[in-house]
Amino acid sequence: MDIQKNIKEVLAQLPPHVRLVAVSKFHPSEAIEAAYAAGQRIFGESKEQELNLKQEVLPKDIEWHFIGHLQTNKVKYIAPYIAMIDAVDSYKLLAEINKQAAKCGRVIPCLLEIHIAEEDTKYGFTFDSCRQMLDEGKWKELTNVAISGVMGMATNTDDEAEICKEFARLHDFFNELKNTYFNGIDTFKEISMGMSHDYQLAVREGSTMVRVGSKIFGERVY
Ligand SMILES: *Cc1c(COP(=O)(O)O)cnc(C)c1O
């Protein structure tokens, strides 16, 4: 695996306004160091323990994104340093992040994970449950989180038309939320969509942030 070459290849395909989250889960710190040497600073992890171990030993200017399902009892361990929590899938989790962020004197950027795939194994708000949560309005009192946009994963399929349709729906939903709840709130701006096999489609459909793992680091060994 030539990690530096892979990073450069992916970056060359991204327009300048699209940011790359290099998904390093299940890969050792040495792999992250190689990507870091190529200039990469944003990394995504999905297990709190693994992330904590890496965060301790790796450079402190890395921006860590938590991209997996986060249990509420784990929030306190990452709250002091996490740059973004990409997959908030309940109001309960958002409230806990707010509480732990307040203890650290921080405001933590969060993305709302929206279920867009035709598979029901994945986490996330449905469009309706997300609207309902935002309509209730309690989130407005959570001053230590910054709801910064939406995140979604398309169906794992070779059907590009289906993938594009799902990404387009997420983009539409982002626009709806922006107009309805976040009008004039500049921090609400991210559409995180696209992984190794579909990030080019995601960029075409308006992604602002892609999360690419295996294309950079190789297959994960679980
Ligand atoms: C693992 C993971 C990725 C990266 O997947 P690849 O197919 O290896 O690029 C992206 N997003 C989330 C939420 C993930 O869990």
Side-chain angles (χ1 to χ4, degrees):
M1 260 296 139
D2 189 339
I3 291 171
Q4 308 211 359
K5 178 167 154 275
N6 296 345
I7 290 256
K8 291 200 177 101
E9 267 176 30
V10 173
L11 286 175
Q13 292 165 327
L14 300 180
H17 66 276
V18 178
R19 287 189 294 156
L20 171 63
V21 178
V23 176
S24 48
K25 63 188 187 192
F26 294 93
H27 292 286
S29 294
E30 294 73 47
I32 298 175
E33 279 165 349
Y36 184 91
Q40 181 65 25
R41 291 294 179 273
I42 310 176
F43 292 89
E45 290 281 338
S46 61
K47 296 265 185 293
E48 160 272 318
Q49 266 191 325
E50 180 182 353
L51 171 55
N52 270 331
L53 292 172
K54 289 173 172 172
Q55 192 270 337
E56 269 177 32
V57 299
L58 287 163
K60 295 296 174 264
D61 63 339
I62 288 179
E63 291 175 41
W64 295 104
H65 283 222
F66 199 90
I67 62 166
H69 177 67
L70 182 57
Q71 290 170 281
T72 48
N73 61 349
K74 300 286 169 62
V75 174
K76 57 178 174 288
Y77 301 115
I78 63 171
Y81 64 84
I82 199 77
M84 184 176 272
I85 297 177
D86 295 24
V88 174
D89 56 5
S90 68
Y91 177 79
K92 185 171 159 238
L93 177 58
L94 195 64
E96 178 64 17
I97 296 168
N98 183 70
K99 181 174 148 196
Q100 298 300 334
K103 281 190 192 166
C104 306
R106 299 189 64 212
V107 175
I108 299 182
C110 293
L111 303 180
L112 301 175
E113 180 179 6
I114 311 297
H115 183 103
I116 54 170
E118 290 297 330
E119 299 154 359
D120 40 44
T121 53
K122 291 182 178 151
Y123 296 101
F125 288 100
T126 61
F127 294 126
D128 272 341
S129 67
C130 186
R131 287 183 189 108
Q132 195 182 352
M133 188 271 289
L134 293 170
D135 279 336
E136 277 171 16
K138 282 189 291 176
W139 59 275
K140 291 180 189 161
E141 293 157 24
L142 306 179
T143 51
N144 290 83
V145 294
I147 300 179
S148 303
V150 295
M151 178 272 213
M153 277 182 278
T155 304
N156 188 3
T157 171
D158 292 329
D159 182 350
E160 294 199 349
E162 174 64 28
I163 294 172
C164 285
K165 190 176 76 186
E166 292 171 6
F167 285 154
R169 271 196 210 124
L170 186 60
H171 192 165
D172 287 346
F173 191 61
F174 168 87
N175 290 341
E176 177 190 326
L177 297 189
K178 181 84 193 170
N179 294 330
T180 313
Y181 308 98
F182 299 97
N183 209 344
I185 300 180
D186 292 341
T187 47
F188 188 86
K189 61 176 195 230
E190 305 290 356
I191 307 175
S192 173
M193 56 187 189
M195 303 168 43
S196 288
H197 68 284
D198 59 16
Y199 68 91
Q200 285 161 301
L201 302 176
V203 166
R204 246 188 272 159
E205 297 298 338
S207 174
T208 65
M209 200 181 263
V210 295
R211 306 175 311 273
V212 179
S214 42
K215 174 105 200 247
I216 294 170
F217 296 108
E219 292 304 317
R220 289 177 285 275
V221 182
Y222 294 100

